[in-house]
Amino acid sequence: MPGAIVKALLWMLPMLLCAVIARAQSGESSAAGTAPRAEVAVYGYEVVASYAHNPAFFTQGLLWHKGELYEGTGRYGESALMKLDLDSGEVKQRIPLSARFFGEGIAVAGERLFQLTWRENTIFEYDVASLERVNSHYLATEGWGATWDGQHLIVSDGSDRLFFLDPDTLVPERVQPVRLNGQPVRNLNELEFINGEVWANVWMSEQIVTIHPESGQVTAVIDLRGLREEAGIRQRDGVLNGIAWDEDNNRLFVTGKLWPKLFEIRIPGMDAIGQ
């Protein structure tokens, strides 16, 4: 596909998603005389706290595990896996990737931490305690986001599909299309698993969608418009991308690529999310 068309489609994506959200809120049908579609809840947010975040980090994956904050970053020659201090934003430990790899999403499964790569068809496996790299695995698709549901490593590839991988073989056991009111939700990016649902950043938008893992239906939309401006971001690449859930303390963290801030937020009206 010509580059100009690709760029046009990417710029249209946020508008298309907002249009679908608007239809979901109003219950409008897609054609005259047909029954209204089911309504999908749309939530706002409140900032609880903000923390320092290195604006040089091209955030591709974010997670909270046993009191520690981890981040995976991208770009060739800059990609790394890191353990960070939440309060200061300082790097406590950094494992760089070879310059030929573009780092993507990260997820912890048991005592293993997995890091995707974008187009290199490789998943790196680390010991989560030491961050020692212990293995690498083949991935047939592009790698974008990753999370763990307690049984599968769930991976996105930038399409409207989620791949549920066996954590030992990393072979897909099933592929789940994602739909919002019958429309495909593409550009699914960084993932988190929260209270039985998959949360996904939608690349080039300011929304997070929550997805029922069995049906692939979007159950809610988290509208984070305004947070990018609060972070002081103007560059096009500085998009929302990073969700981390501290289940023990009921804290939700979000950030973006090249953002100088990481935010703890709550979602008013959504049960048990930052309440």
Side-chain angles (χ1 to χ4, degrees), residues 123 137-140 152-153 163-175:
I123 302 177
H137 307 269
Y138 176 74
L139 180 67
H152 296 97
L153 185 68
F163 299 81
F164 290 73
L165 311 186
D166 179 287
D168 296 317
T169 66
L170 297 184
V171 172
E173 293 190 341
R174 67 183 180 95
V175 179

Side-chain angles (χ1 to χ4, degrees), residues 70 83 93 95 111 126-134:
Y70 297 84
K83 185 185 294 185
Q93 190 174 359
I95 310 298
E111 299 305 316
Y126 304 83
D127 174 80
V128 70
S130 65
L131 293 192
E132 177 187 0
R133 188 179 298 162
V134 296

Side-chain angles (χ1 to χ4, degrees), residues 114-126:
F114 294 98
Q115 182 177 29
L116 308 183
T117 57
W118 180 25
R119 291 176 169 171
E120 291 73 51
N121 301 113
T122 301
I123 302 177
F124 292 114
E125 179 184 340
Y126 304 83

Side-chain angles (χ1 to χ4, degrees), residues 10-240:
L10 291 180
W11 280 108
M12 288 171 61
L13 178 67
M15 292 183 287
L16 292 172
L17 182 59
C18 287
V20 174
I21 292 169
R23 288 199 302 271
Q25 288 180 298
S26 65
E28 292 178 3
S29 61
S30 58
T34 60
R37 298 180 184 272
E39 186 171 319
V40 175
V42 179
Y43 296 95
Y45 68 95
E46 293 177 358
V47 173
V48 176
S50 63
Y51 304 90
H53 182 256
N54 191 321
F57 291 168
F58 198 73
T59 305
Q60 300 290 77
L62 193 72
L63 69 86
W64 186 273
H65 177 70
K66 293 185 177 180
E68 297 282 3
L69 180 67
Y70 297 84
E71 182 168 343
T73 59
R75 289 184 166 170
Y76 293 109
E78 300 177 15
S79 298
L81 172 66
M82 296 176 291
K83 185 185 294 185
L84 304 176
D85 180 81
L86 173 64
D87 292 324
S88 67
E90 295 296 318
V91 177
K92 298 167 69 173
Q93 190 174 359
R94 181 179 186 272
I95 310 298
L97 273 63
S98 167
R100 71 186 184 91
F101 291 103
F102 191 115
E104 286 281 349
I106 59 176
V108 169
E111 299 305 316
R112 297 175 293 173
L113 189 152
F114 294 98
Q115 182 177 29
L116 308 183
T117 57
W118 180 25
R119 291 176 169 171
E120 291 73 51
N121 301 113
T122 301
I123 302 177
F124 292 114
E125 179 184 340
Y126 304 83
D127 174 80
V128 70
S130 65
L131 293 192
E132 177 187 0
R133 188 179 298 162
V134 296
N135 209 343
S136 62
H137 307 269
Y138 176 74
L139 180 67
T141 67
E142 288 189 2
W144 285 44
T147 191
W148 170 248
D149 66 356
Q151 183 178 359
H152 296 97
L153 185 68
I154 306 173
V155 170
S156 64
D157 69 345
S159 69
D160 61 337
R161 300 174 297 172
L162 294 176
F163 299 81
F164 290 73
L165 311 186
D166 179 287
D168 296 317
T169 66
L170 297 184
V171 172
E173 293 190 341
R174 67 183 180 95
V175 179
Q176 180 63 63
V178 175
R179 298 291 183 265
L180 172 54
N181 279 355
Q183 302 297 315
V185 181
R186 300 183 176 89
N187 282 8
L188 297 172
N189 202 358
E190 212 269 330
L191 307 177
E192 182 65 277
F193 194 77
I194 303 176
N195 293 345
E197 294 192 309
V198 180
W199 289 42
N201 282 288
V202 180
W203 184 52
M204 297 302 293
S205 84
E206 296 180 82
Q207 284 84 31
I208 292 170
V209 293
T210 69
I211 305 161
H212 189 283
E214 298 300 325
S215 67
Q217 297 301 312
V218 170
T219 58
V221 175
I222 315 300
D223 188 351
L224 297 183
R225 283 178 293 182
L227 199 59
R228 175 186 169 109
E229 287 75 17
E230 189 163 345
I233 298 300
R234 293 182 174 84
Q235 63 265 50
R236 180 174 179 268
D237 286 345
V239 296
L240 179 74

